Amino acid sequence: QSALTQPASVSGSPGQSITISCTGTSSDVGGYNYVSWYQQHPGKAPKLMIYDVSNRPSGVPDRFSGSKSGNTASLTISGLQAEDEADYYCSSYTSSSTLYVFGTGTKVTVL
Amino acid sequence: QVQLVESGGGLVKPGGSLRLSCAASGFTFSDYYMSWIRQAPGKGLEWVSDVTISGGTKYYADSVKGRFTISRDNPKNSLYLQMNSLRAEDTAVYYCARRKTGSHAFDIWGQGTMVTVSS
């Protein structure tokens, strides 16, 4: 089971919007509405930001939104803020014996 | 508050064994599937293992199948990972995580425990 493909880095200025893509296959991203997104600051544990493609857990700002089209999921951060600078990982449930696959990770830089 | 605290990491020689523990608090542990997820130094996240609520069904990544064993003790609110035949490539921070009810997302994570496999 290969990792989902994400861009290595994405950057934007404060207040701008950025989108991170997460590309898989019909056996994972395309086959299920079980894509989730995690934010990880250096030295910290990951934090759930989006689950089931587009749902936000309580406490996550509505600046964060998720979507999916075919085998590609996306995380959009609107109104980018300095504290959004972190690594972001997508994850999907899969039909293989490896139940879950994570993305390669994207470093978001706030300029 | 809802919390997961891992322990048991350390330095071990290739071929050795280690047992990780994860203590849960602030929620009804026996209501949730639980998972282990790891992250090698400077690398991305990798799902390792899952266990159902009763502990009766367990799932493993191909990379650890036959070497690692997940278990849980619901009365003790604890999750475990027994790691045998350790390899250098098992070196990572190991996180325990709670699976969100009705979803396949991990909504609560511990702070992680570092496992280093080296001679």
Side-chain angles (χ1 to χ4, degrees), chain B residues 6 40 45 47 59 63 68 76 86 90 99 104 115 118:
Chain B
E6 302 93 335
L45 300 167
W47 172 80
Y59 305 89
S63 57
F68 290 12
K76 292 185 177 180
L86 282 161
D90 295 318
R99 180 127 64 95
H104 287 279
V115 171
S118 174

Side-chain angles (χ1 to χ4, degrees), chain A residues 1 34 36 38 40 43-48 50-52 57 89 91-93 97-104, chain B residues 35 37 39 43-47 50 59-62 65 95 99-100 102-107 109-112:
Chain A
Q1 184 71 46
Y34 289 130
S36 50
Y38 302 88
Q40 187 178 34
K44 301 295 186 182
K47 174 187 175 182
L48 177 65
I50 295 287
Y51 67 96
D52 298 352
Y89 294 91
S91 176
S92 176
Y93 177 76
S97 58
T98 295
L99 283 191
Y100 299 99
V101 61
F102 283 91
T104 49
Chain B
S35 308
I37 295 162
Q39 185 171 33
K43 302 296 184 181
L45 300 167
E46 179 189 16
W47 172 80
D50 247 42
Y59 305 89
Y60 300 96
D62 290 344
K65 203 170 292 183
Y95 295 101
R99 180 127 64 95
K100 186 174 177 59
S103 175
H104 287 279
F106 308 102
D107 64 347
W109 296 64
Q111 85 289 351

